[in-house]
Amino acid sequence: MPIQTRRAIVIGGSIGGLFAAALLRRAGWDTHVYERVGVDLSGRGAGIVTHPEMVEALKAAGANPGDDLGVFIQDRRTLDRHGNVIEEYHCPQTATSWNRLLQMLRDSFPADHYHRGKELVAIETTQEIAVARFADGSSAEAELIVGADGFRSTVRNQFLPDVKPIYAGYVAWRGLVEESALPPIAHRDLFPYFAFCLPPGEQMLGYPVAGPNDDLRPGHRRYNFVWYRPADEDSTLQRLLTDETGHIHSVSIPPPLIARSTIAEMLSESERVLAPQFQELVRVTEQPFLQPIYDLESPRMAFPRIALVGDAAFVARPHVGGGVAKAAQDAMTLVRALTVEADLDAALRRFEAERIAVGRRIVDRARRLGSYMRTRFNTAEERALAERHQTPEAVMSETALLNFLRE
Ligand SMILES: Cc1cc2nc3c(=O)[nH]c(=O)nc-3n(C[C@H](O)[C@H](O)[C@H](O)COP(=O)(O)OP(=O)(O)OC[C@H]3O[C@@H](n4cnc5c(N)ncnc54)[C@H](O)[C@@H]3O)c2cc1C
């Protein structure tokens, strides 16, 4: 069959799905995206640190990142509890925003092939075809289905029902603050930097990103923070996920529903453990969000006529900042394998062999970087690992960098 007539379905229209869809389309596949959410997805993410692997995939997908992908940062620094700079590290890097990436990818893919409000419920496959069945009773057929439906993937659940995200033992408080709303001390000491503060067993980090509508003008940007704190699964996590009405949310809680007492406690804890600059940052954050941290590893990424990409296959803790680059490279590798191998099964096997090893390495690396985010250690080995990764020097030279994949 000539390559132009091949049809692909991508389940999930977020960043991973759009990378896969845009690349498949450019490789000649007639590609349609089916996204569960019925409205625009923008606004769901915050800051994203860029990597060469991400920029390469954006260009291949036809989403021209140009010269203004985000805010350029030269240096990293760590502040102590009193706000003094205790260590610096030169590390040029560009930070962009989730919205900006999503918009670039949306612009590179035809809107009439992107179907909103379509929730996949099941897949059926035969020798010849794969059929996606949706909650509204409709269905779609293709030679290939790509599961890019995130860490609670319906596609993965069907083929690997035993694979579940595993709670890492800590949460991240996250927030985005308008540059113009930053108190002067925070603007001066944090805004130009990828900045850290390292209370025992915790980690606060922040970096500048574009403002609303991708605004990169000074004064119109935003500062993004992520504050990791241990939270015991059976007690603290349950309390954090309990809303004003007493309802306990599973996995995550919508930001507006976070209980006022939880926010008040978080603010008072920030005064206890963080540098004054970071306290100010947290204090002026209008709507913090809470993100329990999980690990997810799939033993397979391909099945007959099916591929898993992005968070559907592997979720690493955010310390390596590699989720978008990983999803992008999953998609690149898949499309390259489909181009090299005429046989679909052989292409899927080639894709899986290449990417499963990378997924494992990223998850393992992120687990090591996060190993000190806990209050108790069970073995001397655990404690030694944690000590190795919690110094300012280690944190600044390892966080949000993918160098280890190139070694
Ligand atoms: C605190 C934090 C910080 C992070 N920082 C970074 C960073 O600096 N750099 C970085 O690269 N990454 C970062 N990430 C990770 C990054 O956001 C993701 O890894 C990346 O967006 C890839 O996601 P995805 O497209 O595979 O899945 P998702 O973004 O989860 O998208 C899945 C999509 O599938 C849809 N869907 C789900 N089920 C169905 C269904 N049944 N039918 C149809 N559609 C469905 C969903 O609605 C969703 O739109 C961070 C994550 C966290 C938590």
Side-chain angles (χ1 to χ4, degrees), residues 11-18 34-37 41 44 47-51 54 98 101 114 118-121 134 148-155 172 174 207 226 228 291-293 309-312 314-316 318 320-327 400:
I11 304 297
S14 169
I15 286 176
L18 281 167
Y34 295 89
E35 165 57 50
R36 174 174 59 189
V37 174
L41 295 178
R44 296 200 320 176
I48 299 285
V49 178
T50 68
H51 306 278
M54 188 194 298
W98 195 87
L101 288 176
Y114 186 100
K118 288 284 185 184
E119 179 180 358
L120 178 89
V121 286
F134 300 103
D149 50 345
F151 92 119
R152 283 189 275 178
S153 166
T154 306
V155 180
R174 303 168 62 196
Y207 53 88
V226 186
Y228 300 102
Q291 180 101 39
I293 303 298
V309 300
D311 285 7
F314 286 89
V315 177
V320 292
V324 171
K326 175 168 69 61

Side-chain angles (χ1 to χ4, degrees), residues 85-100:
V85 178
I86 50 170
E87 194 126 354
E88 291 180 295
Y89 182 73
H90 181 62
C91 185
Q93 202 166 26
T94 298
T96 188
S97 67
W98 195 87
N99 277 350
R100 177 143 171 73

